[in-house]
Amino acid sequence: MCKRLDEAFFHRDCLKVAPDLVGKLLVRRLPNGVLLQERIAETEAYRGEEDLACHASKGRTSRTELLYRESGIIYVYLCYGMHWLMNVITGELEQPQGVLFRAGVVHNGPAKLTKFLQIDKQLNGDSFVTCADLWIADDGIRPKLCTDRRVGIDYAGEKWKNMPWRWMMESE
């Protein structure tokens, strides 16, 4: 039995939410009613203005405004001018943090995952808690996890690029 994740799940620090999302199901309802789903295989946490890899490290801007909102908000942004990446906002209101959906079991990259799920800026600012077209479900799967440093953030400096804030399903 799948249960949709509620606001309380996301209303925790990103360092708690990120590992707990691994193994959950991203579910997308397309305009024609077709349901797509993918099991989350990898996440990365981004934690506040002090985290130089977090978009909020540059302060509050029109781009980062969603990071300061309530937990469960969908944050979609364009990367390299061509790839949509998706995050969920976590933690307390006005404390910017979130979790990037880094990979699914089948689609092994954040852009491949959003492309498969047909996610773009139209879902930006909606909520995983209430959205009829995109949610996260828990079917009870609890995979073994391993951690590593985050990917593609060399610009953030040694301390932040080496934080072990990426969680992945362990290979069997």
Side-chain angles (χ1 to χ4, degrees):
M1 176 87 169
C2 285
K3 177 184 167 222
R4 183 181 188 136
L5 299 182
D6 60 13
E7 196 274 341
F9 178 91
F10 302 108
H11 196 154
R12 301 178 293 145
D13 190 278
C14 63
L15 299 179
K16 302 280 187 197
V17 175
D20 286 354
L21 281 169
V22 177
K24 305 291 189 280
L25 295 168
L26 272 167
V27 184
R28 171 79 160 109
R29 183 187 324 273
L30 300 179
N32 65 4
V34 170
L35 285 179
L36 303 174
Q37 71 178 25
E38 175 118 15
R39 191 165 304 281
I40 301 164
E42 187 174 333
T43 60
E44 287 181 347
Y46 292 88
R47 193 168 186 247
E49 293 176 353
E50 69 280 1
D51 177 356
L52 297 183
C54 182
H55 290 167
S57 68
K58 306 258 190 293
R60 200 169 193 150
T61 66
S62 57
R63 180 185 191 196
T64 65
E65 183 62 32
L66 290 177
L67 288 166
Y68 294 83
R69 298 228 346 245
E70 62 273 8
S71 52
I73 294 292
I74 302 165
Y75 173 43
V76 179
Y77 63 92
L78 198 58
C79 184
Y80 305 126
M82 63 171 105
H83 301 296
W84 294 107
L85 304 187
M86 182 174 61
N87 297 253
V88 60
I89 304 309
T90 64
E92 298 295 325
L93 191 65
E94 301 296 326
Q95 301 295 315
Q97 56 177 269
V99 175
L100 171 69
F101 297 95
R102 185 101 186 82
V105 169
V106 176
H107 298 89
N108 65 346
K112 290 177 184 177
L113 183 59
T114 54
K115 186 173 184 176
F116 165 70
L117 294 170
Q118 299 179 35
I119 291 168
D120 60 22
K121 68 180 178 179
Q122 291 184 340
L123 289 166
N124 190 44
D126 210 324
S127 173
F128 280 110
V129 177
T130 59
C131 184
D133 298 321
L134 182 63
W135 63 93
I136 302 170
D138 183 354
D139 64 355
I141 299 292
R142 301 290 183 268
K144 289 184 180 179
L145 303 180
C146 58
T147 60
D148 204 347
R149 45 188 222 154
R150 298 177 290 184
V151 176
I153 57 166
D154 288 348
Y155 61 83
E158 288 300 313
K159 174 183 176 181
W160 296 103
K161 80 175 191 175
N162 290 316
M163 288 291 191
W165 289 357
R166 179 165 52 120
W167 288 266
M168 303 155 288
M169 287 184 175
E170 273 191 8
S171 302
E172 295 193 14

